[in-house]
Amino acid sequence: MGYLQWYKVFASKHRAIVEELKGLSDEEVLAYFDYDNMRKRHPDFCHLYAEGIKCHDIEDLNCYLCACPLFRFCDTGIDKIGEKIRYSLCAIDSRWSATVETDTTVHQDCSNCPVPHRWSFIEKYFDRDWRNIMRKVSMCEEIKDVKIVEC
């Protein structure tokens, strides 16, 4: 599955959960997205939940921003680094960022970055429509015009 397809599927899952939480305050919605709560109540939200694995080694992991609004991707490639095609990057070149490379590709590795899972960061960018937060992630096409795939 490419980045854009993942984005579409995830946006639908996120929207469905937030719709269920209409009566809650913003702070209560954020608290609801605590890793332990999400793993119990929405085991299909993340493929790692079934394995009891966290994507990041963070004690109070919050899954509201599963993907980071500072992540950038393009399924057809952003640019070339030497002979390798780069498909994703960090817009701020976070000190925790790394890359995963093959002989022909370069992908952003965010697994050591705690930034989008910190309460203060999530509050700063919070919007009940996850797509609004993530509107700049695609470097290939306008995300706002992408039709959401219903799960």
Side-chain angles (χ1 to χ4, degrees), residues 73-108:
F73 69 80
C74 181
D75 286 334
T76 57
I78 295 170
D79 57 13
K80 288 186 93 174
I81 298 174
E83 295 300 311
K84 300 177 183 186
I85 299 172
R86 179 165 47 173
Y87 292 96
S88 56
L89 57 86
C90 176
I92 63 167
D93 196 22
S94 169
R95 65 182 165 146
W96 294 286
S97 68
T99 58
V100 174
E101 299 185 23
T102 68
D103 290 341
T104 59
T105 68
V106 178
H107 293 272
Q108 183 65 33

Coordinates of all heavy atoms in Angstrom, one line a residue, residues 73-108:
F73 N 5.2 13.2 1.6 CA 5.4 12.1 0.8 C 4.9 12.3 -0.6 O 4.2 13.3 -0.9 CB 4.6 10.9 1.4 CG 3.1 11.0 1.3 CD1 2.4 10.8 0.1 CD2 2.4 11.4 2.4 CE1 1.0 10.9 0.0 CE2 1.0 11.6 2.3 CZ 0.3 11.3 1.2
C74 N 5.4 11.5 -1.5 CA 4.9 11.4 -2.9 C 5.1 10.0 -3.4 O 6.3 9.6 -3.5 CB 5.6 12.5 -3.8 SG 5.0 12.5 -5.5
D75 N 4.1 9.3 -3.7 CA 4.2 7.9 -4.2 C 4.9 7.8 -5.5 O 5.4 6.7 -5.8 CB 2.8 7.3 -4.3 CG 2.2 6.9 -3.0 OD1 2.9 6.8 -2.0 OD2 0.9 6.9 -2.9
T76 N 5.1 8.8 -6.3 CA 5.8 8.8 -7.5 C 7.3 9.3 -7.3 O 8.0 9.3 -8.3 CB 5.1 9.6 -8.6 OG1 4.9 10.9 -8.2 CG2 3.8 8.9 -9.0
G77 N 7.6 9.8 -6.1 CA 8.9 10.2 -5.8 C 9.0 11.7 -5.7 O 8.3 12.5 -6.4
I78 N 9.7 12.2 -4.7 CA 9.9 13.6 -4.4 C 11.0 14.2 -5.2 O 11.0 15.2 -5.9 CB 10.1 13.9 -2.9 CG1 8.9 13.5 -2.1 CG2 10.5 15.3 -2.6 CD1 9.0 13.4 -0.6
D79 N 12.2 13.5 -5.1 CA 13.4 13.9 -5.8 C 14.3 12.7 -5.8 O 14.0 11.6 -5.4 CB 14.0 15.1 -5.1 CG 14.3 14.9 -3.6 OD1 14.3 13.7 -3.1 OD2 14.6 15.9 -3.0
K80 N 15.5 12.9 -6.2 CA 16.6 11.9 -6.3 C 17.7 12.3 -5.3 O 18.1 13.5 -5.3 CB 17.1 11.6 -7.7 CG 16.1 10.9 -8.5 CD 16.7 10.6 -9.9 CE 17.2 9.2 -9.8 NZ 17.7 8.6 -11.1
I81 N 18.2 11.3 -4.6 CA 19.4 11.5 -3.8 C 20.4 10.5 -4.5 O 20.3 9.3 -4.3 CB 19.2 11.2 -2.3 CG1 18.1 12.1 -1.8 CG2 20.5 11.2 -1.6 CD1 17.7 11.8 -0.4
G82 N 21.3 11.1 -5.2 CA 22.2 10.2 -6.0 C 21.4 9.5 -7.0 O 20.6 10.1 -7.8
E83 N 21.4 8.2 -7.0 CA 20.6 7.4 -7.9 C 19.4 6.9 -7.3 O 18.6 6.2 -7.9 CB 21.5 6.2 -8.5 CG 22.7 6.6 -9.3 CD 22.2 7.4 -10.6 OE1 21.3 7.0 -11.3 OE2 22.8 8.5 -10.8
K84 N 19.1 7.2 -6.0 CA 18.0 6.7 -5.3 C 16.8 7.7 -5.4 O 17.0 8.9 -5.2 CB 18.3 6.4 -3.9 CG 19.4 5.4 -3.7 CD 19.8 5.2 -2.2 CE 20.9 4.2 -2.1 NZ 21.2 3.9 -0.7
I85 N 15.6 7.2 -5.5 CA 14.4 8.0 -5.5 C 13.9 8.2 -4.0 O 13.8 7.2 -3.3 CB 13.3 7.4 -6.3 CG1 13.7 7.3 -7.8 CG2 12.0 8.3 -6.2 CD1 12.8 6.6 -8.7
R86 N 13.7 9.4 -3.6 CA 13.2 9.7 -2.3 C 11.7 9.8 -2.4 O 11.2 10.6 -3.1 CB 13.8 11.0 -1.7 CG 13.3 11.3 -0.3 CD 14.0 12.3 0.5 NE 14.4 13.5 -0.3 CZ 14.9 14.6 0.3 NH1 15.2 14.6 1.6 NH2 15.2 15.6 -0.4
Y87 N 11.0 9.1 -1.5 CA 9.5 9.0 -1.5 C 8.9 9.8 -0.3 O 7.7 10.1 -0.3 CB 9.0 7.6 -1.5 CG 9.3 6.9 -2.8 CD1 10.5 6.1 -3.0 CD2 8.5 7.1 -3.9 CE1 10.7 5.5 -4.2 CE2 8.8 6.5 -5.1 CZ 9.9 5.7 -5.3 OH 10.2 5.1 -6.5
S88 N 9.7 10.0 0.7 CA 9.2 10.7 1.9 C 10.3 11.4 2.6 O 11.5 11.0 2.5 CB 8.4 9.7 2.8 OG 9.3 8.7 3.2
L89 N 9.9 12.4 3.4 CA 10.9 13.2 4.2 C 10.2 13.9 5.4 O 9.0 13.9 5.5 CB 11.6 14.2 3.3 CG 10.8 15.3 2.5 CD1 10.5 16.5 3.4 CD2 11.5 15.7 1.3
C90 N 11.0 14.5 6.2 CA 10.5 15.3 7.4 C 10.7 16.7 7.0 O 11.8 17.2 6.7 CB 11.4 15.0 8.6 SG 10.9 16.0 10.0
A91 N 9.6 17.5 7.1 CA 9.6 18.9 6.7 C 10.5 19.8 7.5 O 11.0 20.8 7.1 CB 8.2 19.5 6.7
I92 N 10.8 19.3 8.8 CA 11.6 20.1 9.7 C 13.0 19.4 9.9 O 13.8 19.9 10.7 CB 10.9 20.4 11.0 CG1 10.6 19.1 11.8 CG2 9.7 21.3 10.8 CD1 10.2 19.4 13.2
D93 N 13.2 18.3 9.2 CA 14.4 17.6 9.4 C 14.7 17.3 10.9 O 15.8 17.7 11.4 CB 15.6 18.3 8.7 CG 16.8 17.3 8.6 OD1 16.6 16.1 8.6 OD2 17.9 17.8 8.5
S94 N 13.7 16.8 11.6 CA 13.8 16.5 13.0 C 15.1 15.8 13.4 O 15.6 15.0 12.7 CB 12.6 15.7 13.5 OG 12.8 15.2 14.8
R95 N 15.6 16.2 14.6 CA 16.8 15.5 15.1 C 16.6 14.1 15.3 O 17.5 13.3 15.4 CB 17.3 16.2 16.3 CG 16.4 16.1 17.5 CD 16.9 16.9 18.7 NE 15.9 17.1 19.7 CZ 16.1 17.1 21.0 NH1 17.3 16.9 21.4 NH2 15.1 17.2 21.8
W96 N 15.4 13.6 15.4 CA 15.1 12.2 15.7 C 14.8 11.5 14.4 O 14.7 10.2 14.3 CB 13.8 12.0 16.5 CG 14.0 12.5 17.9 CD1 14.7 11.9 18.9 CD2 13.5 13.7 18.5 NE1 14.7 12.7 20.1 CE2 13.9 13.8 19.8 CE3 12.6 14.7 18.0 CZ2 13.5 14.8 20.7 CZ3 12.3 15.8 18.8 CH2 12.7 15.8 20.2
S97 N 14.8 12.2 13.2 CA 14.5 11.5 12.0 C 15.7 10.7 11.4 O 16.8 11.0 11.8 CB 14.0 12.5 10.9 OG 15.1 13.4 10.6
A98 N 15.3 9.7 10.7 CA 16.3 8.9 10.0 C 15.7 8.5 8.7 O 14.6 8.9 8.3 CB 16.6 7.7 10.9
T99 N 16.4 7.7 7.9 CA 15.9 7.2 6.7 C 16.1 5.7 6.6 O 16.9 5.1 7.3 CB 16.6 7.8 5.5 OG1 18.0 7.6 5.5 CG2 16.4 9.3 5.4
V100 N 15.2 5.1 5.8 CA 15.4 3.7 5.5 C 15.7 3.6 4.0 O 14.9 4.2 3.2 CB 14.1 2.9 5.7 CG1 14.2 1.5 5.3 CG2 13.7 2.9 7.2
E101 N 16.8 3.0 3.6 CA 17.2 3.0 2.2 C 17.4 1.6 1.7 O 17.7 0.7 2.4 CB 18.5 3.8 2.1 CG 18.4 5.2 2.5 CD 19.7 6.0 2.3 OE1 20.5 5.6 1.4 OE2 19.9 7.0 3.0
T102 N 17.1 1.5 0.4 CA 17.4 0.3 -0.4 C 18.4 0.7 -1.4 O 18.8 1.8 -1.4 CB 16.1 -0.3 -1.0 OG1 15.6 0.5 -2.0 CG2 15.0 -0.6 0.0
D103 N 18.6 -0.2 -2.4 CA 19.5 0.2 -3.5 C 18.9 1.3 -4.3 O 19.7 2.0 -5.0 CB 19.8 -1.1 -4.3 CG 20.6 -2.1 -3.6 OD1 21.3 -1.7 -2.6 OD2 20.6 -3.3 -4.1
T104 N 17.6 1.4 -4.3 CA 17.0 2.4 -5.3 C 16.0 3.4 -4.6 O 15.6 4.3 -5.3 CB 16.1 1.6 -6.3 OG1 15.2 0.8 -5.7 CG2 17.0 0.7 -7.2
T105 N 15.8 3.2 -3.3 CA 14.8 4.1 -2.6 C 15.3 4.7 -1.3 O 16.2 4.1 -0.7 CB 13.5 3.3 -2.3 OG1 13.7 2.4 -1.3 CG2 12.9 2.7 -3.6
V106 N 14.6 5.8 -1.0 CA 14.9 6.4 0.3 C 13.5 6.8 0.9 O 12.7 7.4 0.2 CB 15.7 7.7 0.2 CG1 15.9 8.4 1.6 CG2 17.1 7.5 -0.4
H107 N 13.2 6.3 2.1 CA 12.0 6.6 2.8 C 12.3 7.2 4.2 O 13.3 6.8 4.8 CB 11.1 5.4 3.0 CG 10.6 4.8 1.8 ND1 9.4 5.2 1.2 CD2 11.1 3.9 0.9 CE1 9.2 4.5 0.1 NE2 10.3 3.7 -0.1
Q108 N 11.5 8.1 4.7 CA 11.6 8.7 6.0 C 11.3 7.7 7.1 O 10.4 6.9 6.9 CB 10.6 9.9 6.1 CG 10.7 10.6 7.4 CD 12.1 11.3 7.6 OE1 12.7 11.8 6.7 NE2 12.5 11.4 8.9

